[in-house]
């Protein structure tokens, strides 16, 4: 069985400061990892994904994440945040990205609040 | 481009009432999903469909039924609503097995009193 743990439910950060949102996973097979963002009153949008290859993945809006197999982590980072980054961020893991019925397991989310 | 559209956006039901949530996508996607989002629990898959006329159970299917009579529509039904079904419901779709990105609707906030 696979699972995702997002250690921080809320993260307040000052504008223009760096941020790291933590995500740890467990899976008995190869994993495929995703970060989704949910802006207020909207559905989720894909930020970035790791399927294979380079462990450093760059996404939209200046975010990046690093896949660390030994630490079973996929932390999300941004060097300088903006007010518009205020949102809830979800880490997700899947063990079968090439089938329609694969199980995509979401974490409980981290609410990022940017302080002016 | 509408993308994934969910109706209604808000609904309040009394225990025992029934209702249907509609999800429509205009992207010709094969795969469609219904999730529920609860505080502290992330998103959980209720039911999904890999094509017109097919449906399958997800992680938390009890109390829900679905239908995919047309490729563009995926309906989620609650036959007899219970307070435990108070949640925010999200529909999502994806084009093919090789396209991993899920497109989400903006959600339906359902309260069951």
């Amino acid at each position: 069985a696979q699972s995702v743990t997002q250690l921080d439910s809320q993260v307040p950060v000052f504008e223009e400061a760096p941020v790291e949102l933590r995500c740890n996973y467990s899976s008995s097979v190869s994993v495929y990892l995703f970060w989704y963002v949910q802006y207020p009153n909207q559905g989720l949008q894909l930020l970035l994904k790791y399927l294979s290859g380079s462990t450093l993945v760059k996404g939209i809006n200046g975010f990046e994440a690093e896949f660390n197999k030994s630490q079973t982590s996929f932390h999300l980072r941004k060097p300088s945040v903006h007010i518009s980054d205020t949102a809830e961020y979800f880490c997700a893991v899947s063990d079968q990205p090439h089938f329609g019925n694969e199980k995509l397991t979401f974490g409980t989310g981290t609410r990022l609040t940017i302080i002016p | 481009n509408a993308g994934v559209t969910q109706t209604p956006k808000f609904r309040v039901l009394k225990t025992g009432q029934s209702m249907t949530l509609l999800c429509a996508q205009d992207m010709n996607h094969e795969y469609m999903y219904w999730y529920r989002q609860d505080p502290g629990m992330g998103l959980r898959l209720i039911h999904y469909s890999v094509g017109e006329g097919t449906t399958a159970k997800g992680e938390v299917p009890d109390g829900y039924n679905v239908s995919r009579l047309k490729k563009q529509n995926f309906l989620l039904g609650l036959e007899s609503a219970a307070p435990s079904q108070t949640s925010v419901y999200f529909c999502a779709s994806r084009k093919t097995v090789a396209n991993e990105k899920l497109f989400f609707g903006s959600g339906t906030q359902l309260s069951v009193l």
Side-chain angles (χ1 to χ4, degrees):
Chain A
Q2 58 195 27
S3 66
V4 177
T5 302
Q6 291 184 246
L7 297 167
D8 306 301
S9 60
Q10 297 188 59
V11 174
V13 179
F14 285 104
E15 193 173 14
E16 297 184 6
V19 69
E20 177 179 84
L21 305 183
R22 297 180 292 171
C23 172
N24 288 88
Y25 68 90
S26 66
S27 176
S28 58
V29 296
S30 298
V31 292
Y32 307 93
L33 296 154
F34 308 80
W35 274 100
Y36 280 84
V37 59
Q38 183 180 28
Y39 297 107
N41 301 313
Q42 295 185 27
L44 280 70
Q45 303 173 34
L46 181 67
L47 260 183
L48 49 79
K49 62 191 178 193
Y50 171 78
L51 302 181
S52 65
S54 174
T55 56
L56 184 63
V57 180
K58 293 189 182 298
I60 61 172
N61 301 338
F63 283 92
E64 63 180 32
E66 186 162 17
F67 171 57
N68 189 320
K69 188 174 182 179
S70 63
Q71 297 186 6
T72 60
S73 68
F74 190 55
H75 301 333
L76 181 71
R77 302 185 183 100
K78 186 170 182 177
S80 176
V81 296
H82 302 285
I83 291 289
S84 58
D85 293 323
T86 294
E88 189 143 18
Y89 294 78
F90 292 92
C91 182
V93 61
S94 170
D95 60 357
Q96 300 178 66
H98 300 299
F99 299 89
N101 58 342
E102 81 282 9
K103 183 168 169 44
L104 186 63
T105 301
F106 285 88
T108 53
T110 297
R111 185 171 299 276
L112 176 62
T113 301
I114 308 303
I115 305 165
Chain B
N1 293 332
V4 179
T5 304
Q6 291 182 232
T7 53
K9 294 189 182 303
F10 304 95
R11 186 72 185 270
V12 178
L13 291 178
K14 294 182 179 179
T15 297
Q17 287 185 316
S18 63
M19 78 161 295
T20 301
L21 280 65
L22 171 64
C23 176
Q25 52 92 6
D26 61 0
M27 298 173 284
N28 200 35
H29 286 177
E30 293 292 335
Y31 304 104
M32 298 187 74
Y33 307 82
W34 275 108
Y35 289 90
R36 59 178 289 174
Q37 182 181 30
D38 301 293
M41 301 189 75
L43 277 78
R44 293 180 292 169
L45 182 64
I46 305 171
H47 285 281
Y48 62 94
S49 168
V50 299
E52 181 179 317
T54 70
T55 64
K57 294 180 180 179
E59 183 183 355
V60 288
D62 294 342
Y64 305 94
N65 57 74
V66 288
S67 65
R68 184 98 181 268
L69 298 179
K70 293 183 178 181
K71 185 177 183 179
Q72 63 268 34
N73 296 336
F74 194 30
L75 279 63
L76 178 70
L78 286 73
E79 291 185 346
S80 179
S84 60
Q85 294 177 305
T86 293
S87 186
V88 180
Y89 292 85
F90 286 99
C91 177
S93 71
R94 169 160 64 195
K95 186 170 181 60
T96 67
V97 293
N99 185 334
E100 307 86 1
K101 179 178 178 180
L102 282 170
F103 290 80
F104 282 83
S106 57
T108 296
Q109 189 168 329
L110 175 66
S111 295
V112 183
L113 306 178

